[in-house]
């Protein structure tokens, strides 16, 4: 049902909020009316934060992570990180997630998405050429490339494609461990995950 | 858990989105990254729509609905509406909901909230004085005031308070019908609603 709104200006904002992912018409209206009731200064802060992000955020020329400067990103310039270890992720969302685990001290390569013919996204639309070049022409030899794609159909496709593209470069390629989530009840684990966790079982002594 | 983000500019936007009602940290990050990936022009439209709404939307001096002009709102200037019928609502959200039913052709009075001592909102913080004055000094006599508050504790409190304030003015006061929702299974209706719908049963012939 198209809602009748008492003002076109209000309608514009509702439509704009409605374009955001996961925001339906009802939520869009709630957010809009919330905005309308906020002090001008708070709304100003909101609007400025978004505008500033759009103008001032740059992309790192090496790993395609975001950065606030013209040059390399905070991770690429960090000497304490292991630059011979490259973790390939789909977007910076996954980069942030891995960073938050505190378990990874290498560097990244952000693809900018995953291969998805349904959405018209092929290898050419992703930062794959730059990855290949980066591995091939690295100053210090690359010790390992970790393919950290999602375990979805598109993620697996991307994973396999990357494996084939990078194989000729003779660099060790690994992928994320798959198995039970921490805290999973065996009884409720899905069959595929449970099956794989049996096939990929690890010696007790090497478990981390 | 506080997420570590690769940029302060990004963090600002996440924080701003996180202030919106019903938007948690995870969703805020998703919305922020969505914004970051949108073309500059689209983000500009989003930001402009919000800014324009904040600067250009005015409040109707009679009913406190929103309006784009300095004067009365679209409903108050509409000659086809019954100006002797005043429906009192908490916020414009309820006004919009009632307008969308297409069942009401009178005018409104927007309180701007409901009496809620817990949130420090008393009668003085709402547009109640102006309602009383409006009913008292109306050019054409007011035929009916409909109290369309929510059926929550605060809504009922507000409802009763309004009833007491308006009673001395000798104007017919009604309130919204309460009973089963359309489509309700009796079996699953809550006891209070079901009980009231028996107490307030209506002659079959007068049912609409």
């Amino acid at each position: 049902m198209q809602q009748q709104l008492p003002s076109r200006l209000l309608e514009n904002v509702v439509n704009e909020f409605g374009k955001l992912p996961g925001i339906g018409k009802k939520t869009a209206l709630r957010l809009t009316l919330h905005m309308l009731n906020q002090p001008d200064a708070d709304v100003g802060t909101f609007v400025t934060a978004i505008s500033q992000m759009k103008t001032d955020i740059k992309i790192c020329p090496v790993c395609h992570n975001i950065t606030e400067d013209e040059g390399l990103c905070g991770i690429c310039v960090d000497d304490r990180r292991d630059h011979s270890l490259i973790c390939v992720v789909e977007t910076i969302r996954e980069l942030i997630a891995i960073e938050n685990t505190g378990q990874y001290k290498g560097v990244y390569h952000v693809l900018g998405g995953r291969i998805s013919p349904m959405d018209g996204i092929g290898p050419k639309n992703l930062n794959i050429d730059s990855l290949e070049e980066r591995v091939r022409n690295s100053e210090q030899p690359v010790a390992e490339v970790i393919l950290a794609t999602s375990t979805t159909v598109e993620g697996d496709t991307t994973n396999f494609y990357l494996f084939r593209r990078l194989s000729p470069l003779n660099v060790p390629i690994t992928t994320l461990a798959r198995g039970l989530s921490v805290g999973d009840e065996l009884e409720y684990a899905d069959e595929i995950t449970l099956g794989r966790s049996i096939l990929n079982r690890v010696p007790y002594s090497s478990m981390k």
Side-chain angles (χ1 to χ4, degrees), chain A residues 11-77:
Chain A
E11 212 172 308
N12 288 346
V13 180
V14 173
N15 288 340
E16 288 298 323
F17 270 120
K19 287 179 191 164
L20 298 179
I23 307 281
K25 278 279 165 198
K26 285 238 163 181
T27 308
L29 179 60
R30 203 181 57 205
L31 295 178
T32 304
L33 294 176
H34 173 84
M35 278 285 163
L36 193 60
N37 288 328
Q38 292 309 296
D40 281 355
D42 290 7
V43 175
T45 312
F46 178 84
V47 158
T48 311
I50 294 177
S51 302
Q52 224 171 37
M53 175 182 79
K54 282 302 284 185
T55 35
D56 292 359
I57 279 189
K58 307 278 180 289
I59 299 296
C60 173
V62 168
C63 75
H64 309 280
N65 182 16
I66 59 174
T67 167
E68 294 176 18
D69 309 306
E70 286 294 334
L72 300 182
C73 73
I75 294 174
C76 282
V77 295

Side-chain angles (χ1 to χ4, degrees), chain A residues 50-120:
Chain A
I50 294 177
S51 302
Q52 224 171 37
M53 175 182 79
K54 282 302 284 185
T55 35
D56 292 359
I57 279 189
K58 307 278 180 289
I59 299 296
C60 173
V62 168
C63 75
H64 309 280
N65 182 16
I66 59 174
T67 167
E68 294 176 18
D69 309 306
E70 286 294 334
L72 300 182
C73 73
I75 294 174
C76 282
V77 295
D78 190 344
D79 281 343
R80 289 161 304 177
R81 302 191 73 121
D82 182 351
H83 289 254
S84 71
L85 203 57
I86 300 176
C87 180
V88 183
V89 291
E90 293 172 8
T91 70
I92 58 165
R93 207 174 311 178
E94 286 78 34
L95 182 153
I96 292 169
I98 294 176
E99 279 299 285
N100 282 324
T101 67
Q103 297 295 327
Y104 183 66
K105 293 295 164 209
V107 293
Y108 292 92
H109 193 90
V110 182
L111 293 175
R114 50 190 167 197
I115 297 172
S116 173
M118 290 278 284
D119 304 315

